[in-house]
Amino acid sequence: MCGIMTEYETVQNRIKNGYVFKDHLDKAIELKPQDPMSYYLLGRWCYAVAQLSWIERKIAATLFGEPPSATVQDALKNFLKVEEIRPKYSKLNYVFLAKCYRDLGQKGQARKMGDAAASMETVSKEDEEAQKELDYLLPALGVY
């Protein structure tokens, strides 16, 4: 719920809820370390934090003393953990793997993950979201 609420919150509340969300994810992983969903969500959190703008980081530092910290490499590590626990877990996991590799300048790996996502069937709303992102991402990677 914390993650969904952020779409409708102010920057201040998004940042505050981001800390709460991260705490919940850390606890979930501690309690159930083989659950791929927790690592997927942590990867999404890390990726979102890595994409924070300068102003969002400044607001977080002002309000909380320290902005949340995560890198694209942190996100990648979590998305790879998902694949380690349960290969082909989700189409969106592959999309985010492709984004991470793209952001890290590893275009070949990004294409490989994009291809893997494209080869999966679209059967859920999450898959539809993944396909929309793929339609934008793959041409930029030179896949289509």
Side-chain angles (χ1 to χ4, degrees), residues 27-139:
K27 187 67 171 176
I29 288 169
E30 179 184 321
L31 293 172
K32 198 172 176 187
Q34 292 304 308
D35 179 23
M37 175 62 87
S38 296
Y39 290 98
Y40 168 74
L41 292 173
L42 184 54
R44 294 278 305 252
W45 184 88
C46 290
Y47 192 80
V49 168
Q51 304 301 313
L52 287 175
S53 69
W54 176 86
I55 192 71
E56 290 168 321
R57 289 181 194 282
K58 286 303 228 184
I59 291 169
T62 301
L63 296 172
F64 302 103
E66 184 177 323
S69 177
T71 65
V72 173
Q73 190 67 43
D74 295 330
L76 177 62
K77 180 181 81 172
N78 285 291
F79 294 129
L80 289 172
K81 181 71 174 176
V82 170
E83 286 303 304
E84 177 187 316
I85 293 170
R86 189 172 305 154
K88 299 182 181 179
Y89 176 70
S90 81
K91 192 170 190 149
L92 260 177
N93 195 62
Y94 280 123
V95 168
F96 277 94
L97 280 165
K99 287 180 176 187
C100 288
Y101 282 124
R102 176 202 60 198
D103 293 354
L104 293 169
Q106 299 178 32
K107 209 167 185 180
Q109 280 295 99
R111 281 190 206 108
K112 183 178 172 184
M113 294 301 117
D115 285 342
S119 72
M120 294 178 77
E121 288 186 45
T122 300
V123 294
S124 68
K125 286 222 178 266
E126 182 184 77
D127 293 340
E128 290 173 12
E129 178 187 338
Q131 191 58 52
K132 287 178 187 173
E133 292 198 41
L134 270 177
D135 292 342
Y136 173 78
L137 182 63
L138 291 178

